[in-house]
Amino acid sequence: MTDEVRKGALVAYHGHLAVVVDADAKICIDVDGSCKEVRRKDVELLHPGPVKTVPAGDVAQCDLDTVVELMGGETVGFDDFVSLAYGDCTPGNAYAAYLLLQENVYFSGTPETGVRAYPREHIAAKLAERQRKAEERKRHAEFLDRVRHRSILDSDRPAIREIEEVARGQADRSKLMKELGVECSEEKAHRLLLDLGVWSYLDNPYPARFDIDMSPPPEGIISDFPNEPRLDLTHLESFAIDDRGADDPDDAISFDDGLVWVHIADPTALIDFESETAFEARRRGAKLYLPEGNVEMLPEWMTAKCALGLAEHSNALSFAIRIDGDGIAHLERISPSVIRVTRTSYDESRTVFSGKLAGLAAELERFEKRCQANGARSFGMPEAKLSVDDTGTVSISIIEDTRERRLVANAMIAAGAAVAEWAQSHDVALPVVTQQSGQAETDAAKSIGERLASVKKSKSSETSLVPGRHGGLGLDYYVRVTSPLRRYHDLI
C-alpha cells in the first residue's frame, strides 16, 4: 500500500477513524462534520479509498490463531495483515484490522510501521488479564446494583470503607459515591451508611471529623498530695451541686460570715507541668462529653483523687469572695484547703438554698442583678441532656432553667470575675475570656425561634491574654477557674 494520502482515504487520527476530504495542498479530514487541517505525521493511512464515510462499526470475524500461525515471527505490512486476517483489503476490513491492533492482545505495531504477532505465551497472559478485568467489571456492576437496592453482603463491607471515610471527614471524595450519583458530603455519606445498615444511629462520626482522640489519657505517674499547709475549712457546710449521675464534682460552694466560698478541685497539686500528664491535658484541651460516654482530659486516678465529696475530706483550692453593696465580686482570700463536702443534685438543693445557704443565695442574686444592669444577656434557650446506655437506649432529659442552677452558675461566674479583678490589680497574666457586647434587648418574651436567631447573631467568646470585657456576662474582666478537672484553661 502506498504511503500517499489522497482525497477519500481512510485514516486514523489520534485513535479515531476519519475520511480525508482534501489533500491537494494540505491534508484535511472530516471530524464530526467539520474539516480539520492536520499534519501528515499525525494521521495513519489505513486504506487509500476512495470512501465517503467511515465504514460501519460491524467488525468482521477471523480466525486469530490461524493468522498468528501464518505470520510466524515476521513483521508484515498493514495491507498484507488485513488480507491475511480477512481475505480482502477493503476499507471495512482495514477498519476491523485496526481495531485488532488497538486491542494489543494478539498483535502489535501500527499501520505505518507494520504488524507483528505476539508470542503465544504473551497472548495467553493478555487473554487471561482481559478475562479477569471483565469478571471484575461484572462483579463491580453487581455490587453497585446491591448498593442501589440496599441489599449489600458482608463481603461488600471493605468496598464501603471509602464512604465511611467521607462520613468521618477523613476524605473529601469517593469514587463509589460518584458512581452511585450521590453528592460527596459528610451528611450524604452518613445517610447512605444508615440506609445500607452499615452504621446504626449509635455510630457517631463527629469525633473523627474533628480529629479527636477517643482513647483515655495515659495514667502517668500516680502520686499523692504533697504534705503542705492547707487551710482547714471543714467547719463549713460545703455543697457540691450537680446533675444526677455526675461522676466528677470539681466545685463546691459554702457561705460564712458574709463571704461566698467557692471551692474547686486541686489537681495542680499533683501535676508536674513538664510531665506527660500535663502535655496530654494541654493536647486534649477539655473533657469531652458525648451521648455514648465521656473522654477524660486527666487520668482516671487523678479525677478520682481530686473530685470533691468522694471522700470524707477533700483537698481543694478555695476562693473567699465578698460581694459588695453594688453587687461587685471581690477576692478576699485564695488558699489551698481541706473541706468537707456534701454532694447533692439541683432538685435536692432547693431546701439547701432556702435554708443553710439562704444568705449565699441573697449575695449571688445581688451579683446577678449587677451583671444584668451592666448588660448581661440570658437568651432563655431550653437545654437537653442526651445519653445512650449500654443497651443502646437513647434518653433525652430536659434541663430546667431553675433558680438553683442560676445560683450555682452565678457562684462560678462570681469566682471568675473576682479572680480576674484580682489578677488585673496584681498584674498577673491569666487567660481571660472576652465577648463583644450584643444589642441590649430582652429575650424573655420571644419565641424559641426568635431567641435562636438572637443566639446566632451573638459573637462567640474568645480566650486571650489581653484583658477585655465579657459583654454577655456584663463583666469588665472574666476568667474561667472553676472546672480544672474538665478544662485546661481552668487548670492553668
Side-chain angles (χ1 to χ4, degrees), residues 34-61:
S34 61
C35 184
K36 181 177 179 64
E37 188 176 291
V38 296
R39 297 173 298 182
R40 173 63 182 88
K41 67 178 183 177
D42 291 332
V43 295
E44 296 177 293
L45 179 62
L46 304 186
H47 195 279
V51 294
K52 294 184 177 180
T53 61
V54 173
D58 296 333
V59 180
Q61 300 295 318

Side-chain angles (χ1 to χ4, degrees), residues 60-64 67 70 79-88 93 97 100 107:
Q61 300 295 318
C62 68
D63 186 346
L64 295 174
V67 176
L70 290 173
D79 50 351
D80 292 332
F81 171 61
V82 175
S83 298
L84 281 173
Y86 300 108
D88 190 12
N93 289 341
L100 279 179
F107 309 100

